[in-house]
């Protein structure tokens, strides 16, 4: 029997459902309800995914085995899907642009996670890592950073990865207390109400983390306060979501181990759905179905070569560093 904690698999699966549904309604934002839901989900869906990634990366080191896994699960899939997503762009928009340093569409997460994971040992040596990460996030908004290496998102969302690194099992246990499920549900509901009321008055770019303050049209003080607010809102909603996540094994627990498949593959479905007028309810329902199907064992078996390629043939025998 597997000794995996179903809580984290449950959280990962529910997080990927939010990610897919968010992308499914992105093209429908002319509808006020769709725009509000999009805004709400984007405030915390990737922060949630990133925080979980940070928590599950706490044991990362520069050892040979970990380095090889980093290459096989992030670097190689990044190259494959960066190339793969250039094909729909060519077919739909007549554009063929391939730049491995400038991530296209959803491949930015692989690039950013690769860089975050490489930085893990550094954060574990600092006395106040989260303070430093928040400072870098705010400073990144004051400069027109290049698109290469997805620098705006990599630095802007960095605090969520560091937050995950700093969490300990005892912190997570607090969130799993039964009474906090009610608090979490109320907080998520309040966040949805706030999104319905405020989404028209806040620039969408704040929840995308793609541009500097000047590009969004504000001065650095205003921009830094807005970014700090988004970091705080994201952290609160991440905590609330983790509080309502079931701890017991569920029908979807097994699917939570394959969320990277859903993340990397769902973009093709989204691009196809953009050509149709499905409406908000159908798009959300389709997003749930797509996220579920793409985490199943059959999809994992079919696309293992691209998402988790076996590259033992490309590596030398494990060896100790020369002293």
């Amino acid at each position: 029997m597997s000794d995996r904690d179903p809580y984290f698999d449950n959280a990962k699966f529910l997080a990927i459902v939010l990610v897919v549904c968010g992308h499914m309604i992105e093209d429908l934002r002319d509808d006020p309800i769709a725009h509000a839901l999009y805004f709400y989900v984007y405030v915390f869906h990737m922060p949630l995914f990133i925080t979980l990634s940070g928590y599950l990366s706490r044991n990362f080191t520069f050892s040979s085995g970990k380095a090889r896994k980093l290459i096989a699960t992030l670097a190689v899939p990044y190259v494959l899907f960066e190339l793969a997503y250039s094909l729909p762009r060519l077919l739909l928009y007549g554009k063929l642009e391939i730049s491995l340093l400038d991530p296209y569409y959803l491949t930015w997460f692989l690039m950013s996670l690769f860089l975050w994971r490489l930085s893990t040992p550094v954060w574990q040596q600092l006395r106040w890592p989260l303070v430093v990460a928040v400072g870098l996030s705010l400073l990144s908004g004051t400069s027109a950073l290049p698109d290469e290496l997805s620098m705006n998102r990599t630095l802007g969302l960095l605090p969520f990865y560091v937050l995950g690194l700093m969490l300990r099992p005892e912190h997570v246990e607090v969130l799993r207390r039964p009474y906090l499920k009610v608090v979490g549900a109320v907080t998520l509901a309040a966040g949805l109400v706030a999104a319905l009321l405020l989404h028209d008055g806040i620039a969408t770019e704040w929840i995308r983390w793609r541009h500097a303050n000047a590009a969004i049209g504000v001065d650095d003080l205003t921009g830094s306060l807005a970014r700090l607010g988004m970091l705080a809102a994201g952290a609160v909603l991440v905590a609330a979501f983790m509080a309502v996540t079931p701890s017991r094994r569920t029908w979807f627990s097994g699917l939570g181990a394959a969320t990277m498949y859903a993340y990397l593959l769902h973009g093709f479905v989204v691009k196809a759905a953009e050509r149709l007028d499905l409406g908000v309810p159908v798009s959300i329902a389709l997003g749930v179905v797509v996220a579920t199907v793409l985490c199943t064992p059959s999809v994992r078996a079919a696309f293992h070569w691209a998402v988790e390629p076996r590259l033992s043939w490309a590596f030398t025998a494990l060896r100790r560093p020369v002293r």
Side-chain angles (χ1 to χ4, degrees), residues 6-7 10-11 14 172-189 237 239-250 252:
Y7 173 77
N10 292 340
L14 295 173
V172 177
E173 284 302 318
V174 171
L175 291 175
R176 295 169 69 166
R177 291 176 181 174
Y179 76 89
L180 282 181
K181 290 188 180 298
V182 177
V183 177
V186 171
T187 302
L188 289 172
L237 292 175
F241 195 90
M242 292 179 69
V244 302
T245 297
S247 296
R248 67 185 185 285
R249 183 163 294 280
T250 66
F252 53 80

Side-chain angles (χ1 to χ4, degrees), residues 136-154:
L136 288 174
S137 176
L138 299 183
L139 285 173
S140 70
T142 65
S143 303
L145 298 177
D147 292 331
E148 283 74 14
L149 304 181
S150 189
M151 291 305 296
N152 283 288
R153 280 169 166 159
T154 299

Side-chain angles (χ1 to χ4, degrees), residues 161-178:
Y161 182 79
V162 176
L163 173 63
L165 286 179
M166 296 303 105
L167 289 177
R168 295 290 177 264
E170 54 268 28
H171 301 144
V172 177
E173 284 302 318
V174 171
L175 291 175
R176 295 169 69 166
R177 291 176 181 174

Side-chain angles (χ1 to χ4, degrees), residues 1 19 27 44 49 52 57 83 86 103 118 138 176 197 212 222 226 232 237 242 259 278 282-283 286 292 294-295:
M1 182 177 292
V19 171
D27 207 42
F44 74 98
F49 217 65
L52 291 171
S57 299
L83 295 173
S86 68
L118 279 179
L138 299 183
R176 295 169 69 166
L197 295 174
T222 302
L237 292 175
M242 292 179 69
T259 53
L278 299 177
V282 173
S283 294
L286 179 60
T292 302
L294 292 181
C295 289

